[in-house]
Amino acid sequence: MDIESLREYCLAKPAVEESFPFGETTLVFKVKGKMFLLTGLDSPVLEFNVKCDPEKAIEWREQYAAVQPGYHMNKKHWNTVIADGSIPQRILREMIDDSYNLVVKSLPKKDQL
């Protein structure tokens, strides 16, 4: 996965918008104003942070060396994923989907999709 395929995948989800609230090198994806993924644009290898269920976050970290506690995030609820080719594409997409779905579930009922 590269930055363009990550961007396309995230933007294809309902009600997603992208922004740069933390500076010009940190791309953030939000659903209904709530962040579900962020990525640095200045890294040679794609890395991104995704929200996780705490138990699932630990599972991913134990299963893949390229998944680490969320950098600059709440380590219980966020993972940093290094897309270095060691994690299958379908698993990367699953992590993104899980993050998106967790955020949607946390929205007020009227805003849930």
Side-chain angles (χ1 to χ4, degrees):
M1 180 173 279
D2 62 19
I3 188 63
E4 281 307 314
S5 58
L6 172 75
R7 187 173 173 268
E8 288 172 18
Y9 191 76
C10 290
L11 290 174
K13 297 184 169 308
V16 170
E17 24 185 69
E18 61 183 342
S19 63
F20 290 88
F22 306 119
E24 60 189 34
T25 61
T26 304
L27 178 58
V28 174
F29 293 94
K30 297 179 179 182
V31 55
K32 297 282 187 168
K34 298 276 189 178
M35 182 170 55
F36 72 94
L37 186 144
L38 68 143
T39 184
L41 300 177
D42 54 357
S43 177
V45 175
L46 176 66
E47 294 182 22
F48 56 89
N49 287 1
V50 284
K51 191 167 184 120
C52 302
D53 170 80
E55 289 179 22
K56 191 73 169 175
I58 292 168
E59 277 181 44
W60 290 126
R61 292 174 202 164
E62 290 174 350
Q63 194 167 359
Y64 298 103
V67 178
Q68 300 165 356
Y71 182 69
H72 283 308
M73 307 295 281
N74 180 324
K75 313 262 185 268
K76 183 176 179 180
H77 296 281
W78 288 83
N79 276 343
T80 295
V81 180
I82 303 163
D84 61 2
S86 66
I87 304 172
Q89 294 289 318
R90 68 176 180 77
I91 300 297
L92 294 175
R93 288 191 294 271
E94 183 180 333
M95 291 176 183
I96 295 166
D97 293 345
D98 285 352
S99 182
Y100 176 86
N101 292 331
L102 271 173
V103 172
V104 168
K105 283 183 200 172
S106 75
L107 295 170
K109 285 280 188 212
K110 67 180 179 66
D111 291 333
Q112 289 185 14
L113 310 169

